[in-house]
Amino acid sequence: MPKRTPMLGLLLVLLALPAVAERPAPLAVPDLAKALSSANFAEREKAYTQLLRLPPARLTEIEEALRATKDDETIVRLTAVAQHVFLKQHTPLKGEIGLLGVSLNPEIIRDTQGEPQLVITILDTQPGFPAAEVLRPGDRLIAMNGKRFPLELTIEDFRRIINATPPGTQVQLTLRRGNTTEAVSVTVAAVDDAGTIALSEAIAQRRALATSYVARVQAKANPATVPLIFKSDDPAE
């Protein structure tokens, strides 16, 4: 029997090894920023969500894209993105009090069978919280962790449920967005120092951080107007 040469044996071993999947290239912030001014709504929303999910380590790239753009709509959206990514550093996933960082409104409607059903409409999301990367104003929550909301549920009841959920926990939400029903996972967060100081004071400190940061962004970008995106109301839940 003829002997295999070492080179041939090595080649056979290499061919037998499983292929190693290449890591996807990092999302290019300038390309995503450009997509924010697309005429296609779905393309704009996709780019916006991808930007929101970038880690704080890429905040400088977002700020550079903000300084480079002249489009008003892109400026508004990139400012919101920059503020959100900045505040991620100040949104711990461990703490005493669980928060979603949303404002909401419960209401009773009739389902497709004509039966009463409680839905919770998202009015707003707070920057920096994981929920802002998943939920949108106008989303209507119809179930949490596979269970529909009881008709008698109040905002205070929902707040207590979320506050008692350990930060870092993922809750499964079923929602209606437009004409579609979706299942999403949202991570419950906390607020810095909320376990040692009043929650309202912790949120006030957070707002001060956001205000200071946006002022710095405005000074660098120097557009005629860059709105402060941080909401004036405390996150209800």
Side-chain angles (χ1 to χ4, degrees):
M1 179 181 295
K3 294 183 178 180
R4 291 178 179 172
T5 64
M7 184 61 70
L8 179 58
L10 177 61
L11 178 60
L12 292 174
V13 170
L14 290 175
L15 290 175
L17 290 175
V20 178
E22 293 185 3
R23 291 184 178 180
L27 297 171
V29 172
D31 292 341
L32 293 175
K34 183 178 180 180
L36 292 179
S37 59
S38 169
N40 184 288
F41 174 79
E43 186 176 332
R44 292 197 308 271
E45 285 300 299
K46 180 180 179 181
Y48 184 61
T49 299
Q50 289 175 316
L51 284 165
L52 288 175
R53 292 176 177 173
L54 292 177
R58 301 191 66 183
L59 183 58
T60 300
E61 296 175 63
I62 298 170
E63 293 171 349
E64 289 173 352
L66 180 57
R67 288 194 293 271
T69 186
K70 303 299 181 184
D71 179 75
D72 290 342
E73 179 66 21
T74 303
I75 288 173
V76 170
R77 287 199 149 202
L78 274 180
T79 302
V81 167
Q83 185 176 216
H84 172 77
V85 175
F86 168 76
L87 285 174
K88 283 186 185 184
Q89 305 167 87
H90 305 281
T91 308
L93 300 182
K94 293 182 180 180
E96 299 295 325
I97 302 173
L99 289 173
L100 278 184
V102 298
S103 299
L104 47 82
N105 180 56
E107 58 180 319
I108 295 177
I109 63 170
R110 296 284 175 178
D111 63 17
T112 55
Q113 305 299 320
E115 296 296 324
Q117 178 184 15
L118 182 78
V119 299
I120 297 177
T121 301
I122 301 298
L123 302 178
D124 223 334
T125 61
Q126 291 293 333
F129 284 86
E133 301 174 8
V134 180
L135 303 177
R136 293 287 178 268
D139 286 347
R140 307 179 89 182
L141 309 183
I142 58 177
M144 184 167 71
N145 294 330
K147 297 181 179 179
R148 289 172 59 155
F149 301 112
L151 295 179
E152 64 274 12
L153 187 81
T154 65
I155 289 181
E156 289 73 22
D157 294 332
F158 189 80
R159 178 183 294 118
R160 282 192 288 269
I161 292 171
I162 296 300
N163 289 167
T165 302
T169 302
Q170 283 198 338
V171 294
Q172 310 302 315
L173 299 175
T174 305
L175 59 85
R176 292 198 184 109
R177 178 174 294 170
N179 296 322
T180 64
T181 299
E182 302 179 23
V184 300
S185 297
V186 178
T187 302
V188 176
V191 174
D192 282 335
D193 300 321
T196 57
I197 62 177
L199 180 59
S200 58
E201 183 179 346
I203 293 174
Q205 292 176 357
R206 181 185 179 86
R207 182 178 296 113
L209 277 172
T211 302
S212 174
Y213 172 72
V214 171
R216 294 199 304 273
V217 170
Q218 287 177 325
K220 291 180 180 179
N222 197 30
T225 56
V226 176
L228 177 63
I229 308 298
F230 194 87
K231 314 303 186 302
S232 59
D233 296 329
D234 294 346
E237 276 61 58

